[in-house]
Amino acid sequence: MPHDSAGHLIPGTISPTRAVPAHIQRPEYVGKKAPAGYSGNNIYTPEQIELIRESGRIAAQAVEAVAAAIVPGVTTEELDAIGHEFLISHDAYPSTLGYRGYPKSLCSSINEVICHGIPDDTVLNNGDLINIDITAFKNGMHGDLNATFIVGEASEEATLLVERTREALARGIKTVAPGRQVNVVGRAIESYAKRFGYGVVRDFTGHGVGEAFHSGLIIPHYDSAPEYDTVMEVGMVFTIEPMLTLGTHEWDMWADDWTITTKDKSLTAQFEHTLVVTERGAEILTLP
């Protein structure tokens, strides 16, 4: 089972790529090294927002389906199969599959893995934390969310990290309003996380999403002012997805060029929603 002598994760065996029925629309980047540059903006019409909401709802329901199977003894490969089958049964394409060569239909990030963990034959143990990140592509639109789950029962320290990371996302969403700069989001998240001495990951951020999986708009989760001063407008769509750690915000990458772990191997948790800026604030588009 993939752990080293210190109990840290090591890469497992990745199964062959799953098939997607031919009738399901593929994002333009599938089969290419990288996505085409996005020339659109991050403001969407009400009709387009409804399409993003549909993709977001399917992705959220897929996360629920995967979460129902998270128990000690299950492999992340088995969880990937559940997420994949759910998406294709709803005529949605798993956005991660084939994105810059990524081989699976969701990201499964365990314990010290901050993000982009690849499903493989790793077996979940009681007390593990696992983040499930799913993006669905349908009707030309992506909907993106993730959530962290506890396998069985975890320590109080780990359980609090998960609860507080969920709350950090909620606080970030509460700052959203037209006329504000996007850097207010990270200010709220970091000021909350600092109360508990948590690390706030800086180099992986929220992003514009919709027609593009990642549009180029960046939403930091730390206090980046005066940088990242894009002003929010009604109809703007992006993700907020804070990653908090019990230690450093610094990270390492595995040789697979995807899996990101905390440099000190401390536990980490993450939550994400896709949302749209409204006249009054924000509306979440990734609800089941």
Side-chain angles (χ1 to χ4, degrees):
M1 190 185 134
H3 287 86
D4 64 17
S5 57
H8 299 135
L9 290 163
I10 55 174
T13 302
I14 298 172
S15 69
T17 304
R18 300 186 192 286
V20 177
H23 73 273
I24 294 176
Q25 180 192 1
R26 270 78 170 148
E28 58 79 22
Y29 52 73
V30 174
K32 299 179 187 171
K33 277 191 174 173
Y38 180 62
S39 57
N41 65 24
N42 295 287
I43 313 293
Y44 290 91
T45 67
E47 294 75 20
Q48 290 174 313
I49 289 163
E50 287 312 306
L51 296 178
I52 298 171
R53 190 196 308 275
E54 183 182 355
S55 296
R57 183 184 301 121
I58 292 168
Q61 290 172 349
V63 169
E64 285 191 333
V66 171
I70 293 174
V71 291
V74 76
T75 65
T76 52
E77 159 71 21
E78 290 170 306
L79 299 179
D80 183 71
I82 292 168
H84 180 89
E85 291 302 324
F86 188 95
L87 292 175
I88 64 171
S89 73
H90 289 77
D91 288 334
Y93 185 91
S95 300
T96 57
L97 187 62
Y99 179 77
R100 298 184 184 273
Y102 187 83
K104 289 291 167 190
S105 298
L106 56 78
C107 297
S108 54
S109 302
I110 302 169
N111 295 339
E112 70 267 23
V113 178
I114 296 171
C115 56
H116 305 159
I118 301 174
D120 58 19
D121 59 354
T122 300
V123 176
L124 297 186
N125 293 322
N126 186 62
D128 282 345
L129 302 184
I130 181 169
N131 180 276
I132 301 296
D133 193 335
I134 293 180
T135 307
F137 179 74
K138 188 174 183 179
N139 300 316
M141 297 292 181
H142 298 271
D144 182 6
L145 82 156
N146 73 54
T148 300
F149 301 96
I150 295 168
V151 184
E153 291 184 26
S155 68
E156 183 182 21
E157 184 179 50
T159 302
L160 285 171
L161 174 66
V162 172
E163 290 174 3
R164 289 165 176 167
T165 306
R166 186 189 287 112
E167 173 64 17
L169 171 59
R171 287 175 184 235
I173 292 171
K174 273 189 185 140
T175 68
V176 172
R180 290 183 172 176
Q181 296 181 350
V182 298
N183 56 34
V184 301
V185 174
R187 190 176 311 146
I189 288 168
E190 186 169 50
S191 65
Y192 175 70
K194 272 186 167 171
R195 286 167 39 184
F196 313 104
Y198 295 156
V200 180
V201 174
R202 293 174 164 235
D203 294 336
F204 300 89
T205 67
H207 54 89
V209 66
E211 290 182 298
F213 192 175
H214 299 91
S215 74
L217 173 66
I218 293 173
I219 314 292
H221 302 118
Y222 64 98
D223 187 356
S224 62
E227 296 181 330
Y228 301 102
D229 58 357
T230 303
V231 174
M232 300 183 221
E233 299 176 57
V234 173
M236 186 180 278
V237 176
F238 53 82
T239 73
I240 301 175
E241 46 186 297
M243 295 150 249
L244 305 186
T245 80
L246 290 182
T248 184
H249 68 269
E250 296 179 336
W251 52 274
D252 290 321
M253 182 186 278
W254 283 4
D256 62 20
D257 286 339
W258 282 108
T259 307
I260 305 294
T261 69
T262 49
K263 204 174 225 3
D264 58 7
K265 303 295 184 281
S266 60
L267 278 181
T268 177
Q270 181 185 16
F271 284 86
E272 172 185 25
H273 275 304
T274 297
L275 52 95
V276 59
V277 181
T278 66
E279 299 280 2
R280 295 186 181 176
E283 185 182 355
I284 296 171
L285 299 177
T286 38
L287 295 174

